[in-house]
Amino acid sequence: PVPPLEMREQWALAAVFGYVDTWSATWALQRAEGRGPIEAFRRELASVWGPAGTVRSVHWDLTLRIGRL
């Protein structure tokens, strides 16, 4: 069994946006539907984040996929 793993960072809103902009799914959505959905996401997140300079803890679980060749 693998112990639970996660990554934790302290990010301001701009760092979150920068990270999301690196996702291939974000690029695919932009190609398919333009910037509208991405801008809507940014507005909605900004409305609950607080001041743009606010630093918050962000974390995400990591999953390992291990096998033998």
Side-chain angles (χ1 to χ4, degrees):
V2 178
L5 300 171
E6 70 175 22
M7 291 181 62
R8 288 187 172 269
E9 292 290 336
Q10 298 291 315
W11 282 352
L13 188 57
V16 175
F17 290 155
Y19 176 64
V20 171
D21 283 345
T22 68
W23 296 350
S24 59
T26 302
W27 288 79
L29 177 62
Q30 184 175 328
R31 279 192 306 276
E33 299 188 28
R35 291 282 306 169
I38 297 163
E39 293 305 319
F41 163 75
R42 287 175 175 249
R43 283 190 304 274
E44 187 171 337
L45 183 58
S47 74
V48 296
W49 189 270
T54 300
V55 174
R56 296 191 180 277
S57 177
V58 296
H59 63 94
W60 51 100
D61 297 332
L62 298 175
T63 303
L64 299 178
R65 187 172 182 177
I66 300 172
R68 292 182 193 215
L69 296 176

Coordinates of all heavy atoms in Angstrom, one line a residue:
P1 N 0.8 -1.2 0.0 CA 0.0 0.0 0.0 C 0.9 1.3 0.0 O 1.9 1.3 0.6 CB -0.8 -0.1 1.3 CG -0.4 -1.4 1.9 CD 0.7 -2.0 1.1
V2 N 0.4 2.2 -0.7 CA 1.1 3.5 -0.8 C 0.4 4.5 0.2 O -0.8 4.6 0.2 CB 1.0 4.1 -2.2 CG1 1.7 5.4 -2.3 CG2 1.6 3.1 -3.2
P3 N 1.2 5.2 1.0 CA 0.6 6.2 1.9 C 0.0 7.4 1.1 O 0.4 7.6 -0.1 CB 1.8 6.7 2.7 CG 3.0 6.4 1.8 CD 2.7 5.2 1.0
P4 N -0.9 8.0 1.6 CA -1.5 9.2 0.9 C -0.4 10.3 0.7 O 0.4 10.5 1.5 CB -2.6 9.7 1.9 CG -2.8 8.7 2.9 CD -1.5 7.8 2.9
L5 N -0.4 10.8 -0.5 CA 0.5 11.8 -0.9 C -0.2 13.0 -1.4 O -1.3 12.9 -2.1 CB 1.4 11.3 -2.1 CG 2.3 10.0 -1.8 CD1 2.9 9.5 -3.1 CD2 3.3 10.3 -0.7
E6 N 0.3 14.2 -1.1 CA -0.3 15.4 -1.6 C 0.8 16.5 -1.8 O 1.9 16.4 -1.1 CB -1.4 15.9 -0.7 CG -0.9 16.5 0.6 CD -2.1 17.1 1.4 OE1 -3.3 16.7 1.1 OE2 -1.8 17.9 2.3
M7 N 0.6 17.4 -2.6 CA 1.4 18.6 -2.7 C 0.7 19.8 -2.1 O -0.5 19.9 -2.2 CB 1.7 18.9 -4.2 CG 2.6 17.8 -4.9 SD 2.9 18.2 -6.6 CE 3.8 19.7 -6.5
R8 N 1.5 20.7 -1.5 CA 0.9 21.9 -0.9 C 1.8 23.1 -1.3 O 3.0 23.0 -1.3 CB 0.9 21.8 0.6 CG -0.1 20.8 1.2 CD -0.2 21.0 2.7 NE -1.3 20.2 3.2 CZ -2.5 20.6 3.4 NH1 -2.8 21.9 3.1 NH2 -3.5 19.9 3.8
E9 N 1.1 24.2 -1.6 CA 1.8 25.4 -1.9 C 1.0 26.6 -1.3 O -0.2 26.4 -1.0 CB 1.8 25.6 -3.5 CG 2.7 24.6 -4.2 CD 4.2 24.8 -3.9 OE1 4.6 26.0 -3.6 OE2 4.9 23.9 -4.1
Q10 N 1.6 27.7 -1.2 CA 1.0 29.0 -0.8 C 1.0 29.9 -2.1 O 2.1 30.3 -2.5 CB 1.8 29.6 0.3 CG 1.9 28.8 1.6 CD 0.5 28.7 2.2 OE1 -0.2 29.6 2.4 NE2 0.2 27.5 2.6
W11 N -0.2 30.1 -2.6 CA -0.3 30.9 -3.9 C -1.2 32.1 -3.7 O -2.2 32.0 -3.1 CB -0.8 30.0 -5.0 CG 0.2 29.0 -5.6 CD1 1.5 29.0 -5.3 CD2 -0.1 28.0 -6.5 NE1 2.1 28.0 -6.1 CE2 1.2 27.4 -6.8 CE3 -1.2 27.5 -7.1 CZ2 1.3 26.3 -7.7 CZ3 -1.1 26.5 -8.0 CH2 0.1 25.9 -8.3
A12 N -0.8 33.1 -4.5 CA -1.7 34.2 -4.7 C -2.6 33.8 -6.0 O -2.3 32.9 -6.7 CB -1.0 35.5 -5.0
L13 N -3.6 34.6 -6.2 CA -4.5 34.3 -7.3 C -3.8 34.2 -8.7 O -4.1 33.3 -9.5 CB -5.6 35.3 -7.3 CG -6.8 35.1 -8.3 CD1 -7.5 33.8 -8.0 CD2 -7.8 36.2 -8.2
A14 N -2.9 35.1 -8.9 CA -2.2 35.1 -10.2 C -1.4 33.7 -10.4 O -1.4 33.2 -11.5 CB -1.2 36.2 -10.3
A15 N -0.9 33.1 -9.3 CA -0.2 31.9 -9.5 C -1.2 30.7 -9.8 O -0.9 29.9 -10.6 CB 0.5 31.5 -8.2
V16 N -2.4 30.8 -9.3 CA -3.4 29.8 -9.6 C -3.8 29.9 -11.1 O -3.8 28.9 -11.8 CB -4.7 29.9 -8.7 CG1 -5.8 29.0 -9.2 CG2 -4.3 29.7 -7.3
F17 N -4.0 31.1 -11.5 CA -4.3 31.4 -12.9 C -3.2 30.9 -13.8 O -3.4 30.3 -14.9 CB -4.6 32.8 -13.2 CG -5.9 33.3 -12.6 CD1 -6.1 34.6 -12.3 CD2 -7.0 32.4 -12.3 CE1 -7.3 35.1 -11.8 CE2 -8.2 32.9 -11.8 CZ -8.3 34.2 -11.5
G18 N -2.0 31.2 -13.5 CA -0.8 30.8 -14.3 C -0.7 29.2 -14.4 O -0.4 28.7 -15.4
Y19 N -1.0 28.6 -13.2 CA -1.0 27.1 -13.2 C -2.1 26.5 -14.1 O -1.8 25.7 -14.9 CB -1.1 26.6 -11.8 CG -1.2 25.1 -11.6 CD1 -0.1 24.3 -12.0 CD2 -2.3 24.5 -11.1 CE1 -0.1 23.0 -11.9 CE2 -2.4 23.1 -11.0 CZ -1.3 22.4 -11.4 OH -1.3 21.0 -11.2
V20 N -3.3 27.0 -14.0 CA -4.4 26.5 -14.8 C -4.1 26.8 -16.3 O -4.5 25.9 -17.1 CB -5.7 27.1 -14.3 CG1 -6.9 26.8 -15.3 CG2 -6.1 26.7 -12.9
D21 N -3.5 27.9 -16.6 CA -3.2 28.2 -18.0 C -2.2 27.2 -18.6 O -2.1 27.2 -19.8 CB -2.7 29.6 -18.2 CG -3.8 30.6 -18.1 OD1 -5.0 30.2 -18.2 OD2 -3.5 31.8 -17.9
T22 N -1.5 26.4 -17.8 CA -0.5 25.4 -18.4 C -1.2 24.1 -18.8 O -0.6 23.3 -19.4 CB 0.6 25.1 -17.4 OG1 0.1 24.4 -16.3 CG2 1.3 26.4 -16.9
W23 N -2.4 23.9 -18.3 CA -3.1 22.6 -18.6 C -3.4 22.5 -20.1 O -4.0 23.4 -20.7 CB -4.4 22.5 -17.8 CG -4.2 22.5 -16.3 CD1 -3.1 22.4 -15.6 CD2 -5.3 22.6 -15.3 NE1 -3.3 22.4 -14.2 CE2 -4.7 22.6 -14.1 CE3 -6.6 22.8 -15.4 CZ2 -5.4 22.7 -12.9 CZ3 -7.4 22.9 -14.3 CH2 -6.8 22.8 -13.0
S24 N -3.2 21.3 -20.6 CA -3.6 21.1 -22.0 C -5.1 21.2 -22.2 O -5.6 21.6 -23.2 CB -3.1 19.7 -22.4 OG -3.7 18.6 -21.6
A25 N -5.9 20.8 -21.1 CA -7.4 21.0 -21.2 C -7.8 22.4 -21.4 O -8.7 22.7 -22.1 CB -8.0 20.3 -20.0
T26 N -7.1 23.3 -20.7 CA -7.3 24.7 -20.8 C -7.1 25.2 -22.3 O -7.9 25.9 -22.8 CB -6.5 25.6 -19.8 OG1 -6.8 25.1 -18.5 CG2 -6.8 27.0 -19.9
W27 N -6.0 24.8 -22.8 CA -5.7 25.1 -24.2 C -6.7 24.6 -25.2 O -7.1 25.2 -26.1 CB -4.3 24.6 -24.6 CG -3.2 25.4 -23.9 CD1 -2.8 25.2 -22.6 CD2 -2.4 26.4 -24.5 NE1 -1.8 26.1 -22.4 CE2 -1.5 26.9 -23.5 CE3 -2.4 27.0 -25.7 CZ2 -0.6 27.9 -23.7 CZ3 -1.5 28.0 -26.0 CH2 -0.6 28.4 -25.0
A28 N -7.1 23.3 -24.9 CA -8.1 22.7 -25.8 C -9.5 23.4 -25.7 O -10.1 23.7 -26.7 CB -8.3 21.2 -25.4
L29 N -9.9 23.8 -24.5 CA -11.1 24.6 -24.3 C -11.0 25.9 -25.1 O -12.0 26.3 -25.7 CB -11.4 24.8 -22.9 CG -12.6 25.6 -22.5 CD1 -13.9 24.9 -23.0 CD2 -12.7 25.9 -21.0
Q30 N -9.9 26.6 -24.9 CA -9.7 27.9 -25.6 C -9.8 27.7 -27.1 O -10.4 28.5 -27.8 CB -8.4 28.5 -25.2 CG -8.2 29.9 -25.8 CD -6.9 30.5 -25.3 OE1 -6.5 30.3 -24.2 NE2 -6.3 31.3 -26.1
R31 N -9.2 26.7 -27.7 CA -9.3 26.4 -29.1 C -10.7 26.1 -29.5 O -11.1 26.6 -30.6 CB -8.3 25.3 -29.5 CG -6.9 25.7 -29.7 CD -6.1 24.6 -30.3 NE -6.2 23.3 -29.7 CZ -5.4 22.9 -28.7 NH1 -4.6 23.7 -28.1 NH2 -5.6 21.6 -28.2
A32 N -11.4 25.4 -28.7 CA -12.8 25.0 -29.1 C -13.8 26.1 -28.9 O -14.7 26.2 -29.7 CB -13.2 23.8 -28.3
E33 N -13.7 26.9 -27.8 CA -14.7 27.8 -27.5 C -14.3 29.2 -27.2 O -15.0 30.1 -26.8 CB -15.5 27.3 -26.2 CG -16.1 26.0 -26.4 CD -17.0 25.5 -25.3 OE1 -17.5 26.4 -24.6 OE2 -17.1 24.3 -25.1
G34 N -13.0 29.5 -27.5 CA -12.5 30.9 -27.2 C -12.2 31.1 -25.8 O -12.2 30.2 -24.9
R35 N -11.9 32.3 -25.4 CA -11.5 32.7 -24.0 C -12.6 32.8 -23.1 O -12.5 32.9 -21.9 CB -10.6 34.0 -24.0 CG -9.3 33.9 -24.6 CD -8.2 33.3 -23.8 NE -8.0 33.8 -22.5 CZ -7.3 33.2 -21.6 NH1 -6.6 32.1 -21.8 NH2 -7.1 33.8 -20.4
G36 N -13.9 32.8 -23.6 CA -15.0 33.1 -22.8 C -15.1 32.2 -21.5 O -15.3 32.7 -20.4
P37 N -15.1 30.9 -21.7 CA -15.2 30.0 -20.5 C -14.1 30.2 -19.5 O -14.3 30.2 -18.3 CB -15.2 28.6 -21.1 CG -15.6 28.7 -22.5 CD -15.1 30.1 -22.9
I38 N -12.9 30.5 -20.0 CA -11.7 30.7 -19.1 C -11.9 32.0 -18.4 O -11.6 32.0 -17.2 CB -10.4 30.6 -20.0 CG1 -10.2 29.2 -20.6 CG2 -9.2 31.0 -19.1 CD1 -9.3 29.2 -21.7
E39 N -12.3 33.0 -19.0 CA -12.5 34.3 -18.4 C -13.6 34.2 -17.3 O -13.5 34.8 -16.3 CB -12.8 35.4 -19.4 CG -11.6 35.7 -20.3 CD -10.3 36.1 -19.5 OE1 -10.4 36.8 -18.4 OE2 -9.2 35.6 -19.8
A40 N -14.7 33.4 -17.6 CA -15.8 33.2 -16.7 C -15.2 32.5 -15.4 O -15.6 32.9 -14.3 CB -16.9 32.4 -17.3
F41 N -14.4 31.5 -15.6 CA -13.8 30.8 -14.5 C -12.9 31.8 -13.7 O -13.0 31.8 -12.4 CB -12.9 29.7 -15.0 CG -11.9 29.2 -14.0 CD1 -12.3 28.4 -12.9 CD2 -10.6 29.5 -14.1 CE1 -11.4 27.9 -12.0 CE2 -9.6 29.1 -13.1 CZ -10.1 28.3 -12.1
R42 N -12.1 32.6 -14.3 CA -11.3 33.6 -13.6 C -12.1 34.6 -12.8 O -11.8 34.9 -11.6 CB -10.4 34.4 -14.6 CG -9.3 33.6 -15.2 CD -8.6 34.4 -16.2 NE -7.4 33.7 -16.7 CZ -6.2 34.1 -16.5 NH1 -5.9 35.2 -15.8 NH2 -5.2 33.4 -17.0
R43 N -13.2 35.1 -13.4 CA -14.1 36.0 -12.7 C -14.7 35.4 -11.4 O -14.8 35.9 -10.4 CB -15.2 36.6 -13.6 CG -14.7 37.6 -14.5 CD -15.8 38.3 -15.3 NE -16.7 37.4 -16.0 CZ -16.5 37.0 -17.2 NH1 -15.4 37.4 -17.9 NH2 -17.3 36.1 -17.8
E44 N -15.2 34.1 -11.6 CA -15.9 33.4 -10.5 C -14.9 33.1 -9.4 O -15.2 33.3 -8.2 CB -16.5 32.2 -11.0 CG -17.4 31.5 -10.0 CD -18.2 30.3 -10.5 OE1 -18.5 30.3 -11.7 OE2 -18.5 29.5 -9.7
L45 N -13.7 32.6 -9.7 CA -12.7 32.4 -8.7 C -12.3 33.6 -8.0 O -12.2 33.7 -6.8 CB -11.5 31.6 -9.3 CG -10.5 31.2 -8.3 CD1 -11.0 30.3 -7.2 CD2 -9.3 30.5 -9.0
A46 N -12.1 34.7 -8.8 CA -11.6 36.0 -8.2 C -12.7 36.5 -7.2 O -12.4 37.1 -6.2 CB -11.3 37.0 -9.3
S47 N -14.0 36.3 -7.5 CA -15.1 36.8 -6.7 C -15.1 36.1 -5.3 O -15.6 36.7 -4.3 CB -16.4 36.6 -7.4 OG -16.8 35.3 -7.3
V48 N -14.5 35.0 -5.2 CA -14.5 34.3 -3.8 C -13.1 34.2 -3.2 O -13.0 33.9 -2.0 CB -15.1 32.8 -3.9 CG1 -16.6 32.9 -4.3 CG2 -14.3 32.0 -4.9
W49 N -12.1 34.6 -4.0 CA -10.7 34.5 -3.5 C -10.4 35.6 -2.5 O -9.7 35.4 -1.5 CB -9.8 34.6 -4.7 CG -8.3 34.3 -4.3 CD1 -7.4 35.3 -3.9 CD2 -7.7 33.1 -4.3 NE1 -6.2 34.7 -3.7 CE2 -6.3 33.3 -3.9 CE3 -8.0 31.8 -4.6 CZ2 -5.4 32.3 -3.8 CZ3 -7.1 30.8 -4.5 CH2 -5.8 31.0 -4.1
G50 N -11.0 36.8 -2.7 CA -10.6 38.0 -2.0 C -9.6 38.8 -2.7 O -9.5 38.6 -4.0
P51 N -9.0 39.8 -2.1 CA -8.0 40.6 -2.8 C -7.0 39.8 -3.5 O -6.5 38.7 -3.1 CB -7.4 41.4 -1.7 CG -8.4 41.5 -0.6 CD -9.1 40.1 -0.7
A52 N -6.6 40.2 -4.7 CA -5.7 39.5 -5.6 C -4.4 39.1 -4.9 O -3.8 38.1 -5.2 CB -5.4 40.2 -6.9
G53 N -3.9 39.9 -4.0 CA -2.7 39.6 -3.3 C -2.8 38.6 -2.2 O -1.8 38.2 -1.6
T54 N -4.0 38.2 -1.9 CA -4.2 37.3 -0.8 C -3.5 35.9 -1.1 O -3.7 35.4 -2.2 CB -5.7 37.0 -0.6 OG1 -6.3 38.3 -0.2 CG2 -5.9 36.0 0.6
V55 N -2.7 35.4 -0.2 CA -2.1 34.2 -0.4 C -2.9 33.1 0.3 O -3.2 33.3 1.5 CB -0.6 34.2 0.1 CG1 0.0 32.9 0.1 CG2 0.2 35.2 -0.7
R56 N -3.1 32.0 -0.4 CA -3.9 30.9 0.2 C -3.2 29.6 0.0 O -2.4 29.5 -0.9 CB -5.3 30.8 -0.4 CG -6.2 32.0 -0.2 CD -7.6 31.7 -0.7 NE -8.4 32.9 -0.5 CZ -9.0 33.2 0.6 NH1 -8.9 32.4 1.7 NH2 -9.8 34.3 0.7
S57 N -3.5 28.7 0.9 CA -2.9 27.3 0.8 C -3.7 26.6 -0.3 O -4.9 26.5 -0.2 CB -3.0 26.6 2.1 OG -2.6 25.3 2.0
V58 N -3.0 26.0 -1.2 CA -3.6 25.1 -2.2 C -3.0 23.8 -2.1 O -1.8 23.6 -1.8 CB -3.5 25.7 -3.6 CG1 -4.2 27.0 -3.8 CG2 -2.0 25.9 -4.0
H59 N -3.8 22.7 -2.3 CA -3.2 21.4 -2.2 C -3.9 20.5 -3.2 O -5.1 20.7 -3.5 CB -3.2 20.8 -0.8 CG -4.6 20.7 -0.2 ND1 -5.2 19.5 -0.3 CD2 -5.4 21.6 0.4 CE1 -6.4 19.6 0.3 NE2 -6.5 20.9 0.7
W60 N -3.2 19.5 -3.6 CA -3.9 18.5 -4.5 C -3.2 17.1 -4.2 O -2.1 17.0 -3.8 CB -3.8 18.8 -6.0 CG -2.4 19.2 -6.5 CD1 -1.5 18.4 -7.1 CD2 -1.7 20.4 -6.3 NE1 -0.4 19.1 -7.5 CE2 -0.5 20.3 -7.0 CE3 -2.1 21.7 -5.8 CZ2 0.4 21.4 -7.0 CZ3 -1.2 22.7 -5.8 CH2 0.1 22.6 -6.4
D61 N -4.1 16.1 -4.2 CA -3.7 14.7 -4.0 C -2.9 14.2 -5.2 O -3.1 14.6 -6.3 CB -4.9 13.8 -3.8 CG -5.7 14.2 -2.5 OD1 -5.1 14.7 -1.6 OD2 -6.9 13.9 -2.5
L62 N -1.9 13.4 -4.9 CA -1.1 12.7 -5.9 C -1.4 11.2 -5.9 O -1.7 10.6 -4.9 CB 0.4 12.9 -5.6 CG 0.9 14.3 -5.6 CD1 2.4 14.3 -5.2 CD2 0.7 15.0 -7.0
T63 N -1.5 10.7 -7.1 CA -1.8 9.3 -7.3 C -0.6 8.6 -8.0 O -0.1 9.2 -9.0 CB -3.1 9.1 -8.1 OG1 -4.1 9.8 -7.5 CG2 -3.4 7.6 -8.3
L64 N -0.2 7.5 -7.5 CA 0.9 6.8 -8.2 C 0.3 5.6 -9.0 O -0.6 4.9 -8.5 CB 1.9 6.2 -7.1 CG 2.6 7.3 -6.3 CD1 3.4 6.6 -5.2 CD2 3.4 8.2 -7.1
R65 N 0.9 5.4 -10.1 CA 0.5 4.3 -11.0 C 1.8 3.5 -11.2 O 2.7 4.0 -12.0 CB -0.1 4.7 -12.3 CG -0.7 3.6 -13.1 CD -1.4 4.2 -14.2 NE -2.0 3.2 -15.0 CZ -2.8 3.3 -16.0 NH1 -3.1 4.6 -16.4 NH2 -3.3 2.3 -16.7
I66 N 1.9 2.4 -10.6 CA 3.2 1.7 -10.6 C 3.0 0.3 -11.2 O 2.1 -0.4 -10.9 CB 3.8 1.6 -9.2 CG1 4.0 3.0 -8.6 CG2 5.1 0.8 -9.2 CD1 4.4 3.0 -7.1
G67 N 4.0 -0.1 -12.0 CA 3.9 -1.4 -12.6 C 5.3 -1.9 -13.0 O 6.3 -1.2 -12.8
R68 N 5.3 -3.1 -13.6 CA 6.6 -3.6 -14.0 C 6.5 -3.9 -15.5 O 5.4 -4.2 -16.0 CB 6.9 -5.0 -13.4 CG 7.2 -4.8 -11.9 CD 7.5 -6.2 -11.4 NE 7.5 -6.1 -9.9 CZ 8.3 -6.7 -9.1 NH1 9.1 -7.6 -9.6 NH2 8.2 -6.6 -7.8
L69 N 7.6 -3.7 -16.2 CA 7.7 -4.0 -17.6 C 8.4 -5.3 -17.8 O 9.2 -5.7 -17.1 CB 8.4 -2.9 -18.4 CG 7.7 -1.5 -18.3 CD1 8.6 -0.5 -19.0 CD2 6.4 -1.6 -19.0

